Amino acid sequence: MNDIIKNIEAEQMKQEVPVFHVGDTVKVYGKIKEGNRERIQVFEGIVLKRQGGSNRETFTVRKNSNGIGVEKTWPLHSPNVEKIEVIRRGKVRRAKLNYLRGRVGKRAKVKELVK
């Protein structure tokens, strides 16, 4: 029984997933359906958290839009996520950046990781 579930989940997973971590600034290209048309909309922001595993893994991205914080949670292996582009690497020391929700302006920034 357990092997059957693992095989089904393995079929649903994407072959290539970009490497990104919490604190990184990413562009998520998501498919939007409007009636009978389909288009791609870009959502750019900081990754607050990654959770789950295998094909159920999700990540939350937060951006500021007209002074209002907007968060969106995306399934990593969803067919509605066209691609994920890493723009900037962030230097953080924790797994979930929930504290960014209460911050505004410069305080809401994450330092850039320089290698």
Side-chain angles (χ1 to χ4, degrees), residues 9-33:
E9 287 181 353
E11 292 171 6
Q12 294 174 347
M13 291 178 70
K14 287 185 179 176
Q15 299 300 323
E16 291 185 22
V17 178
V19 178
F20 66 96
H21 304 286
V22 174
D24 293 352
T25 303
V26 295
K27 275 187 183 178
V28 182
Y29 292 81
K31 291 181 185 175
I32 306 280
K33 265 197 165 181

Side-chain angles (χ1 to χ4, degrees), residues 61-95:
V61 180
R62 180 181 176 86
K63 75 173 182 177
N64 253 347
S65 180
N66 296 326
I68 299 170
V70 179
E71 287 183 19
K72 203 161 187 182
T73 301
W74 301 87
L76 188 62
H77 296 283
S78 170
N80 289 333
V81 175
E82 186 72 25
K83 68 177 178 175
I84 302 166
E85 237 178 60
V86 179
I87 296 172
R88 201 176 327 132
R89 300 270 179 207
K91 181 182 178 186
V92 293
R93 296 173 63 180
R94 50 188 73 225

Side-chain angles (χ1 to χ4, degrees), residues 24-53:
D24 293 352
T25 303
V26 295
K27 275 187 183 178
V28 182
Y29 292 81
K31 291 181 185 175
I32 306 280
K33 265 197 165 181
E34 294 174 334
N36 57 357
R37 295 185 328 159
E38 197 174 87
R39 65 182 179 88
I40 293 177
Q41 188 174 22
V42 181
F43 191 89
E44 181 179 344
I46 297 174
V47 178
L48 286 188
K49 61 183 174 180
R50 280 182 78 161
Q51 61 188 26

